[in-house]
Amino acid sequence: MAAVQFRDLNISFNRHPVTGKVSTLKDEDAVKRALKTLILTNHYERPYKHLVGGNIAGKLFENMDDLTEFQVQKDIEQAIANYEPRVELYNVFVNADEDRNGLNVKLVFRLVNQTDPIETNIFLERVR
């Protein structure tokens, strides 16, 4: 039986140089992009799926303290557990970066069809 392969469209919509079709992301890259998109999505941004997302944009304007870091960590863990079945999450690390007015998020996970852990870093910043 062949291993399951995960594919997602590349949201930059670049053309594949040979086929001319929209390029795709595969396996690890596809899931990393999906996790970042999920975390950055707020509730009520997706039609008919109002609760999908990390819903953390509002927390980025709070005081950067341990409580805010903990709340963001739990929101991310909950969003991944509920809406990303391709991932087995090991850990989420959230650290405030006061100088850059944002949060550094490190995700440690594995794909359900692989055994090796994967790490990805996402910087969450205030945007207005």
Side-chain angles (χ1 to χ4, degrees):
M1 183 175 202
V4 175
Q5 187 178 42
F6 301 122
R7 287 183 163 204
D8 286 339
L9 286 176
N10 190 346
I11 61 173
S12 66
F13 293 106
N14 294 330
R15 295 177 129 207
H16 188 276
V18 176
T19 64
K21 296 180 180 179
V22 175
S23 62
T24 59
L25 297 173
K26 296 178 184 173
D27 291 330
E28 183 178 326
D29 293 329
V31 173
K32 283 182 181 180
R33 175 68 60 90
L35 287 172
K36 182 176 181 180
T37 302
L38 178 66
I39 290 168
L40 294 174
T41 301
N42 288 314
H43 292 172
Y44 299 98
E45 283 186 4
R46 293 191 183 174
Y48 307 106
K49 295 183 179 182
H50 301 296
L51 298 179
V52 171
N55 201 40
I56 60 167
K59 292 177 183 72
L60 295 175
F61 291 92
E62 299 291 330
N63 292 329
M64 295 295 171
D65 58 3
D66 293 339
L67 181 59
T68 303
E69 290 176 2
F70 179 75
Q71 289 174 334
V72 169
Q73 176 187 351
K74 291 303 172 191
D75 288 346
I76 290 171
E77 289 172 354
Q78 189 68 37
I80 293 172
N82 289 340
Y83 301 108
E84 189 50 79
R86 302 177 289 185
V87 168
E88 181 181 324
L89 188 63
Y90 290 142
N91 216 332
V92 176
F93 300 99
V94 178
N95 295 311
D97 187 344
E98 293 89 4
D99 295 334
R100 293 172 48 198
N101 293 321
L103 295 169
N104 291 308
V105 176
K106 179 180 176 182
L107 303 173
V108 181
F109 63 94
R110 78 171 183 86
L111 300 179
V112 294
N113 65 350
Q114 296 179 2
T115 57
D116 297 330
I118 300 168
E119 291 183 7
T120 188
N121 296 305
I122 302 168
F123 183 71
L124 306 174
E125 61 185 332
R126 303 173 198 171
V127 179
R128 284 246 175 185

